[in-house]
Amino acid sequence: MNALAKTAIGTVLKIEGLSIKLPQGADRELAVENVDLELRAGQTLCVVGESGSGKSLIAGAVMGLLPKPRIAPVAGRILFEGEDLLNLSEARMRRLRSQRIGMIFQEPMTSLNPVMKIGEQIGEVLYAHLSLSSTERRTRNVGFTLRRGETLGIVGESGSGKSIVGRCLTGLVPADSGLIRFDGQALALDLHNRQVAARGNVQMVFQDPYASLNPRQTIGTAIGAGPLEQGMGRHAVRVLVLDLLEKVGLKADVADRYPHEFSGGQRQRVAIARALAMRPRLLVADEPVSALDVSVQAQVLELFDQVRREFALSMVFITHDLRVAAQMCDHIAVRRRGEIVEIGEARVVLECPAHAYTQELIAAAPTFHSTLESRLVAA
């Protein structure tokens, strides 16, 4: 049997006794402990588990992309085609990453440079590794009213303009025309034209918390930046930060840690605390659980409901998941190709949809009727 044939039926990746440490002060010493995995040529190995269980860290260790020395392998071997990746130089790892090992990350918005064209980014990889020579859709026809303390869900297919509506409400993307009234007063369409004192009234929690948090700032700094900018004293800001961390289910002593030291669910809790630090009256949540594990989604949704009641918030909840909309929303607006095609009470829209597109969405979605029933009982 020739070497190629042996490789085709042999082991490509073998992980033996891998342990990965977490930073000092984390909830446990090891994120990954004594892991053994084997992957043969032509096969797919699926690693599953709850948020924070160490799945992504195993992938990061294979790629040589862990944020050392705070998070680093402390035991074991990772054998790729016979080579121990943990003992290779960075130059050798770079060659392997260019030709033999690749990775698709969880959130493309984080892994792609937003100010570079896609073709340039693909060409940059080819140039760097292989030595080769070198509208956003606008939304329209939006109109709705949101009452104090209620939650409006905006649902629809990808590209229907859901997220743009949220960014227009916050002023991050100024609308070309129209009027936004907040508490009876006209709100400037551009954030920079809004009064400083009024900017905190509308806050946003983004889809990917890792992309929205500065990796060079501690989470305490990120949460306290807004109040500090508006003139709150440093001691008062610190007290506020620690209080908000506890309110979102994190320990106060994590304030001096960095975003990469947290799981996806924990980072989203940090993002919620940052939004609450401005004492908003309207919270826009843009697909806030779509990047999270199913088990963690329920916890974060429960947290949203908790803070909505505790802080007397109105919410605009953007989601593609009708089950989430059924659980969280009082009213639902359905968007398609930049327009709202149906809007009404959540139960009416989901159980008696009037528009053909809404009917198609519901037909394609997993059942959510039990969610509607439980929400009705709770009300």
Side-chain angles (χ1 to χ4, degrees):
M1 184 180 293
N2 60 34
L4 182 61
K6 289 181 180 179
T7 300
I9 63 173
T11 298
V12 174
L13 179 69
K14 188 172 186 179
I15 299 177
E16 299 176 339
L18 178 65
S19 294
I20 300 174
K21 72 168 185 174
L22 286 171
Q24 187 175 3
D27 59 353
R28 62 188 190 274
E29 181 181 355
L30 297 175
V32 173
E33 184 173 4
N34 197 30
V35 168
D36 295 318
L37 296 172
E38 184 172 350
L39 178 63
R40 301 179 70 82
Q43 293 184 341
T44 299
L45 172 66
C46 187
V47 181
V48 301
E50 63 183 3
S51 180
S53 61
K55 308 183 299 296
S56 296
L57 293 183
I58 293 174
V62 172
M63 294 297 297
L65 297 177
L66 293 179
K68 302 175 183 177
R70 293 173 65 82
I71 300 177
V74 292
R77 300 194 303 169
I78 301 177
L79 302 175
F80 177 73
E81 296 181 341
E83 286 188 279
D84 186 356
L85 301 182
L86 298 183
N87 292 329
L88 298 183
S89 66
E90 177 55 34
R92 175 57 181 159
M93 279 300 304
R94 184 180 177 86
R95 287 195 294 273
L96 286 176
R97 285 195 292 261
S98 69
Q99 299 179 8
R100 304 293 295 159
I101 307 175
M103 184 168 181
I104 299 174
F105 294 88
Q106 177 179 4
E107 176 49 56
M109 191 64 179
T110 305
S111 57
L112 296 174
N113 188 331
V115 298
M116 284 182 65
K117 294 180 179 179
I118 298 300
E120 293 175 352
Q121 295 190 58
I122 297 173
E124 181 183 51
V125 173
L126 296 174
Y127 177 78
H129 289 295
L130 303 180
S131 300
L132 300 180
S133 58
S134 50
T135 294
E136 189 170 36
R137 175 176 288 188
R138 303 301 292 189
T139 190
R140 60 189 185 277
N141 190 27
V142 176
F144 57 81
T145 299
L146 178 61
R147 297 181 180 89
R148 184 169 300 173
E150 291 190 346
T151 299
L152 171 69
I154 300 180
V155 303
E157 63 192 357
S158 180
S160 62
K162 304 185 300 294
S163 295
I164 294 298
V165 173
R167 284 165 169 77
C168 286
L169 291 174
T170 60
L172 294 175
V173 175
D176 295 325
S177 61
L179 180 66
I180 300 175
R181 287 194 177 275
F182 186 83
D183 205 17
Q185 302 295 318
L187 199 62
L189 300 181
D190 191 327
L191 177 64
H192 298 95
N193 294 332
R194 295 178 185 177
Q195 295 180 354
V196 174
R199 292 177 186 175
N201 284 333
V202 184
Q203 291 294 299
M204 191 164 186
V205 177
F206 296 89
Q207 179 178 5
D208 179 25
Y210 196 66
S212 64
L213 294 170
N214 187 335
R216 297 184 178 183
Q217 284 187 340
T218 64
I219 63 166
T221 301
I223 295 171
L228 195 64
E229 180 69 21
Q230 292 202 341
M232 184 180 289
R234 290 189 176 276
H235 176 72
V237 168
R238 183 68 177 181
V239 172
L240 174 64
V241 167
L242 300 184
D243 178 61
L244 286 173
L245 283 172
E246 292 186 348
K247 275 184 167 53
V248 299
L250 297 173
K251 295 180 180 179
D253 59 10
V254 304
D256 296 323
R257 290 166 57 185
Y258 290 87
H260 70 263
E261 299 176 43
F262 296 86
S263 68
Q266 290 172 325
R267 285 195 290 263
Q268 199 60 292
R269 291 175 183 270
V270 172
I272 294 171
R274 180 178 61 176
L276 294 176
M278 298 301 293
R279 301 297 181 190
R281 296 159 65 188
L282 171 62
L283 188 63
V284 179
D286 183 11
E287 297 274 15
V289 297
S290 63
L292 304 180
D293 296 338
V294 174
S295 60
V296 180
Q297 284 185 6
Q299 299 170 16
V300 174
L301 290 175
E302 183 179 349
L303 176 60
F304 270 107
D305 189 54
Q306 172 190 322
V307 299
R308 181 187 62 81
R309 288 183 277 105
E310 182 174 346
F311 290 83
L313 295 171
S314 300
M315 289 180 58
V316 172
F317 207 95
I318 299 166
T319 180
H320 68 277
D321 191 332
L322 292 179
R323 292 172 299 177
V324 172
Q327 177 179 341
M328 297 297 297
C329 303
D330 301 294
H331 294 80
I332 290 178
V334 182
R335 293 187 59 77
R336 187 188 191 197
R337 297 176 181 172
E339 296 182 323
I340 292 178
V341 296
E342 185 166 354
I343 188 169
E345 292 184 8
R347 190 174 188 87
V348 174
V349 171
L350 294 176
E351 291 194 338
C352 303
H355 196 277
Y357 175 66
T358 311
Q359 296 168 6
E360 291 175 9
L361 279 181
I362 293 172
T367 180
F368 49 79
H369 290 92
S370 59
T371 303
L372 276 174
E373 292 297 336
S374 62
R375 180 175 173 82
L376 184 63
V377 170

